[in-house]
Amino acid sequence: MLEQCDRCPRADPLIAEFSRFLSARTGLHFPPERRADLERGLAAAARELGFTDTESCIRSLLASAFARPQLETLASHLTVGETYFFRERRSFECLEAHVLPALIRSRRAGERRLRIWSAGCATGEEPYSIAMALARAIPDLRDWNVSILATDINSRALRQASLGSYGDWSFRDTPAGIRETYFVKTKDGRYQITERIRSMVTYGYLNLAEDAYPSVEGGTNAMDIVFCRNVLMYFEAAHGRRALEKLGRSLVSGGWLFVNPVEISHMAVPQLSTVNLPGAIVYRKGIRLPAAPDGWQAPADHGVANEPPEMAPQGRQEIPIAQETEREEPKIATQTPYQRAAALYALGRYPEAAE
Ligand SMILES: C[S@@+](CC[C@H](N)C(=O)[O-])C[C@H]1O[C@@H](n2cnc3c(N)ncnc32)[C@H](O)[C@@H]1O
C-alpha cells in the first residue's frame, strides 16, 4: 500500500513519475512540500475508482494514459476549489469602475455585445460575481447580448455551480447588499442565486492544459474579458506560460485579463501588457507596433504599460479605453506609417493600427 510507503523505496519514483504525468495532463504541479496533498488526493481517487490500494491505481493510470472520466475523478480530489463571492474585491471594483464603463460606452452605439470568460471557475462564485457586476453596471441589460462562459476541470464543482446554492462561507467578504439583492434564503439555511443571475452564466468542462482553446466551436474566442484567477499558481511554470499565452489568444485586441498578479509575475507574455488601475494590476491585450524610428516618442498617455508587472509604474489613475470616444481623429494623411499606427493605437482602434 502506497499510504504506508514512507519507508518504501518504490514509492517515491512512482509518485514522482505520476506527478510528471499529472502535470502534463492537467498543468497541476505538486512540489515536494505538497507531496502529502498529492498522496492524500490519490488515495481518495483510488478508492473512488474502485482500487483496493493506491499503488495499483497509479500503475493502472500510468499504463492507460487515463481517459476523461478518470481525469475528472482525479481533478475532483487534487484541485484546490477555494473561492467566494467578490474574492479579491479590488478586481471587481476595477471591473465595475473602469473596465466595464469604458467597454459599455464603446459598445453602446453599435453592437451591444460582451463576451466574458471565467476560466477555472470552481463552484461558480466568480462568474456569478461577474454577472452581478454586469447587472449593476448595465441598467438595460435585456437589450444586450452578454455571454459569461464559466469553465473548470472539476465536473463536480461545475455541477454545484450550476445549482447556484451557497452556504454562509461563500459570502465571507461580500459587499453589503449583495446577498439581499441577488439571493433568496432557502429552508435549509442556504442561499439560492436568483434565476436572472444564474441564467447569465453558461458552464462547461475545459482543461486549461489542453489545446482546446481558443476555439470558435467551444465559444472560447473573441473574449472581451477573461478572469483566470488563482488557477495558474497551481500550475507547473511551463504549463502556466502556455495556458496564459492561449488565454491571451482568446481575447479580442484590447481585451482584458484578470489574474492574481503574484501568480504570473514571472511569466511575461509578449501579447499582454500590464495596466495599473487603482488598487489592482490587470493585463490587456495590445498590439505590436513596428519598431520606433530613432528619436520618436510614444504618446505619453496611452496608458498601457509595457513593463513586466514588477516594473510597471504604480498608481496610474486612467485607462486608455475610457478616452476612446473623446479623442480627436489623428491627422492620418500627414503621418508616417508608424505615427499613424501609434495614433490609431492611442485611440483604441487596435485592428486598424495593426494593419
Ligand atoms: C482556487 S480555485 C479558483 C476559483 C476562482 N477562479 C477564484 O479565484 O476564486 C482553482 C480552480 O482551478 C481549477 N483548475 C485547476 N486546474 C485546472 C485545469 N487544468 N483546467 C481548468 N481548471 C483547472 C480547479 O478545479 C479549481 O476549481
Side-chain angles (χ1 to χ4, degrees):
M1 294 266 294
L2 200 64
E3 292 96 311
Q4 300 163 351
C5 263
D6 274 355
R7 297 165 307 274
C8 167
R10 286 184 311 156
D12 267 2
L14 188 62
I15 290 265
E17 185 185 351
F18 187 79
S19 182
R20 282 194 297 278
F21 190 53
L22 188 70
S23 177
R25 294 294 305 274
T26 64
L28 295 173
H29 179 46
F30 284 90
E33 61 275 18
R34 290 196 63 217
R35 175 62 67 90
D37 294 339
L38 176 59
E39 293 187 9
R40 222 180 359 260
L42 269 172
R47 276 193 296 278
E48 192 179 322
L49 291 169
F51 291 90
T52 50
D53 66 277
T54 312
E55 183 174 339
S56 34
C57 173
I58 296 178
R59 290 193 188 285
S60 164
L61 290 173
L62 285 173
S64 65
F66 47 86
R68 170 139 162 216
Q70 295 162 318
L71 190 60
E72 289 186 25
T73 303
L74 282 170
S76 68
H77 291 289
L78 293 173
T79 52
V80 176
E82 167 76 2
T83 185
Y84 46 92
F85 290 107
F86 291 86
R87 181 180 189 179
E88 288 149 23
R89 240 203 259 185
R90 284 187 163 170
S91 299
F92 287 96
E93 285 164 6
C94 286
L95 179 73
E96 287 194 49
H98 298 278
V99 173
L100 282 179
L103 258 176
I104 292 163
R105 219 172 16 252
S106 69
R107 296 280 163 83
R108 195 170 273 292
E111 201 187 357
R112 297 183 173 195
R113 186 183 59 82
L114 286 178
R115 289 170 61 75
I116 303 176
W117 180 13
S118 164
C121 64
T123 38
E125 285 87 335
E126 180 179 87
Y128 287 139
S129 300
I130 297 169
M132 290 182 253
L134 282 167
R136 294 195 317 184
I138 312 182
D140 56 342
L141 196 58
R142 281 176 207 285
D143 300 332
W144 285 69
N145 176 3
V146 170
S147 83
I148 304 174
L149 173 68
T151 61
D152 204 282
I153 196 175
N154 184 340
S155 305
R156 246 162 251 178
L158 289 171
R159 277 195 290 278
Q160 218 178 311
S162 56
L163 291 176
S165 167
Y166 296 94
D168 281 322
W169 193 233
S170 292
F171 298 91
R172 56 191 177 274
D173 188 30
T174 301
I178 289 287
R179 203 184 323 201
E180 296 71 21
T181 310
Y182 298 107
F183 293 83
V184 175
K185 192 161 186 183
T186 48
K187 284 192 189 127
D188 55 1
R190 293 175 68 79
Y191 295 87
Q192 178 65 43
I193 200 152
T194 60
E195 186 51 26
R196 175 171 170 240
I197 299 297
R198 203 185 70 84
S199 63
M200 287 172 70
V201 181
T202 304
Y203 288 99
Y205 173 92
L206 187 135
N207 178 355
L208 288 166
E210 290 177 354
D211 287 332
Y213 66 104
S215 134
V216 177
E217 302 79 49
T220 48
N221 66 313
M223 291 291 166
D224 296 303
I225 302 172
V226 172
F227 272 64
C228 185
R229 303 180 313 153
N230 308 300
V231 178
L232 301 181
M233 63 170 67
Y234 299 106
F235 275 35
E236 193 260 318
H239 291 293
R241 262 194 300 278
R242 268 201 291 282
L244 196 56
E245 190 268 325
K246 286 180 277 182
L247 289 173
R249 283 198 276 121
S250 294
L251 286 168
V252 294
S253 187
W256 300 86
L257 173 68
F258 285 76
V259 288
N260 179 342
V262 296
E263 60 190 331
I264 71 157
S265 60
H266 57 296
M267 302 181 198
V269 176
Q271 60 187 329
L272 298 176
S273 308
T274 58
V275 182
N276 286 279
L277 296 177
I281 298 173
V282 189
Y283 293 80
R284 189 159 191 203
K285 184 167 175 175
I287 54 159
R288 263 179 202 284
L289 293 175
D294 284 348
W296 193 88
Q297 293 271 303
D301 65 343
H302 62 56
V304 177
N306 289 310
E307 303 92 329
E310 62 272 23
M311 300 279 291
Q314 299 295 312
R316 194 171 277 143
Q317 295 297 309
E318 290 187 335
I319 56 169
I321 194 166
Q323 299 155 3
E324 278 180 13
T325 52
E326 290 148 26
R327 293 204 177 166
E328 274 186 27
E329 183 74 12
K331 301 208 170 27
I332 288 164
T334 57
Q335 292 173 333
T336 65
Y338 182 78
Q339 286 168 327
R340 177 190 154 88
L344 287 167
Y345 182 55
L347 280 166
R349 288 163 58 180
Y350 307 107
E352 290 167 75
E355 279 167 14

